[in-house]
Amino acid sequence: QVQLVESGGGLVQTGGSLRLSCAASGSIMSINTMAWYRQAPGKQRDLVASISSGGSTNYADSVKGRFTISRDNAKNTVYLQMNSLKPEDTAVYYCNADVTEMRYSASVFRYWGQGTQVTVSS
């Protein structure tokens, strides 16, 4: 089994910054795509940013230019640097990873973190 543990959420003022981290642990052979999603109260869960094993990135239009996703393959960790935060960024942020496990080397499994709250005050 693989677990994703998130950290870095909190309360900030408009225009502030936060850095989210998500560390994967367990019987990991490799990790393909890692991503961040977010879900605000009463709204759907949306993709914020993703990064491939080779470092290729994609961003939602709403965060492009403000957020940066990165990863440290040696630490099995993905980061989300969030700058110029707006109240509309308030949500629970979930990390996601597509993982090939040691025991199941021919398959890829999708894992989710527990979520971390980001609140941006007006």
Side-chain angles (χ1 to χ4, degrees):
Q1 273 286 337
V2 172
Q3 294 80 42
L4 304 182
V5 179
E6 303 174 3
S7 62
L11 173 64
V12 298
Q13 297 180 7
T14 297
S17 298
L18 284 174
R19 181 177 172 86
L20 305 183
S21 299
C22 176
S25 62
S27 185
I28 299 170
M29 177 174 288
S30 63
I31 303 178
N32 190 11
T33 300
M34 304 186 81
W36 289 94
Y37 291 74
R38 67 186 182 187
Q39 186 169 23
K43 298 183 179 179
Q44 66 183 15
R45 183 177 298 186
D46 294 325
L47 176 68
V48 177
S50 65
I51 183 168
S52 73
S53 60
S56 179
T57 59
N58 287 290
Y59 296 93
D61 289 341
S62 59
V63 307
K64 191 179 294 291
R66 299 188 297 121
F67 291 10
T68 302
I69 188 170
S70 61
R71 63 191 287 170
D72 185 335
N73 291 332
K75 298 180 179 179
N76 292 141
T77 299
V78 63
Y79 306 93
L80 186 68
Q81 178 66 47
M82 304 184 293
N83 298 325
S84 301
L85 283 162
K86 307 173 181 179
E88 49 263 46
D89 295 318
T90 295
V92 177
Y93 284 70
Y94 298 89
C95 66
N96 166 269
D98 292 337
V99 180
T100 297
E101 300 178 52
M102 295 290 189
R103 184 176 175 84
Y104 306 99
S105 60
S107 300
V108 178
F109 297 92
R110 175 161 289 182
Y111 289 92
W112 293 89
Q114 80 282 1
T116 184
Q117 177 71 48
V118 171
T119 302
V120 184
S121 65
S122 303

